[in-house]
Amino acid sequence: MTSDKSSPGSDPSTAEMEAKYKRNPAPKQPYQIVLKIEDAPGPFAKVEGFASYEATECTYIPDPIAGVPLKPSSDIPMEFSKVDESTYIATVYADAMLDEDYLGEGLCHWRLMSVNSRAKATGAKTDVRYVANLWSDDLNAQKARTTYYVNNEYPGSEPDGRSDQGNFDRSKYKAEFQDQLFSITLTPKAGTP
């Protein structure tokens, strides 16, 4: 649903929109997310993440001069619980955001777009943040996704750290790195609170 308002500045700013978004007080569509680290060069002290939501049918234009339409979006932190030295579990809800008329033009339906995780060796500022994601298609299909990383920079030494997005395809790494890889696998299970 797109705003038809034509007067300049009539659409809300992004901050105004974000202040309107509401969490669903009684979500009923859980996913258990299992994060498994394999062949890592050492332990991980901090595993965290967030779930990203978007109201895909609704748009607003926060800057009428630029005229770029945006969709309502929200990130909700995920808390991972440690099961053992290489396994962590979190629960997210596909219906965590409340479907509501946020623009005065009809119901905005929220969708869980992605689950995003970051693992850090010690929790220090200099640590590399190893990023692994699941997309909405993976969640709907309950399909695991494995991301590979080269372990030569573990735990990290840059003053402000850095993010390593890794690669889904192990073969993209050169032959000399094949025995220096570790992986993070995210596995979604629907209906598991």
Side-chain angles (χ1 to χ4, degrees):
M1 181 169 310
T2 304
S3 176
D4 294 332
K5 298 172 189 163
S6 56
S7 59
S10 61
D11 270 0
S13 70
T14 300
E16 289 169 334
M17 284 301 297
E18 288 173 353
K20 292 181 177 185
Y21 304 153
K22 296 177 186 170
R23 297 272 294 268
N24 184 348
K28 294 180 173 65
Q29 299 171 19
Y31 279 95
Q32 182 183 75
I33 307 299
V34 178
L35 184 150
K36 180 82 172 164
I37 302 170
E38 293 184 303
D39 302 320
F44 284 88
K46 189 169 187 178
V47 175
E48 58 190 5
F50 61 94
S52 292
Y53 298 83
E54 190 174 273
T56 55
E57 304 124 9
C58 296
T59 59
Y60 67 101
I61 301 173
D63 181 352
I65 295 170
V68 178
L70 297 178
K71 296 182 185 306
S73 62
S74 184
D75 293 335
I76 297 178
M78 292 170 32
E79 288 190 29
F80 279 94
S81 299
K82 187 174 185 176
V83 175
D84 57 41
E85 289 306 308
S86 62
T87 309
Y88 300 79
I89 293 177
T91 299
V92 298
Y93 288 86
D95 57 344
M97 297 299 293
L98 191 63
D99 292 345
E100 197 165 275
D101 184 357
Y102 292 103
L103 298 168
E105 301 170 4
L107 206 59
C108 289
H109 297 280
W110 290 92
R111 284 186 58 212
L112 174 57
M113 303 303 289
S114 64
V115 167
N116 313 279
S117 68
R118 295 182 295 264
K120 295 175 76 173
T122 67
K125 190 176 179 182
T126 55
D127 281 358
V128 174
R129 294 175 297 278
Y130 295 99
V131 177
N133 305 306
L134 285 172
W135 307 110
S136 59
D137 290 346
D138 302 322
L139 293 160
N140 293 335
Q142 297 184 61
K143 176 184 166 194
R145 181 176 287 277
T146 301
T147 308
Y148 298 93
Y149 313 86
V150 178
N151 64 24
N152 62 352
E153 291 186 24
Y154 174 95
S157 59
E158 294 184 21
D160 292 320
R162 70 173 192 83
S163 291
D164 184 342
Q165 305 290 326
N167 201 306
F168 300 131
D169 184 352
R170 183 184 184 115
S171 69
K172 297 286 184 190
Y173 290 101
K174 294 179 181 176
E176 61 263 31
F177 292 122
Q178 287 296 319
D179 62 350
Q180 299 174 40
L181 299 178
F182 72 96
S183 66
I184 297 176
T185 300
L186 292 175
T187 304
K189 296 178 183 176
T192 311

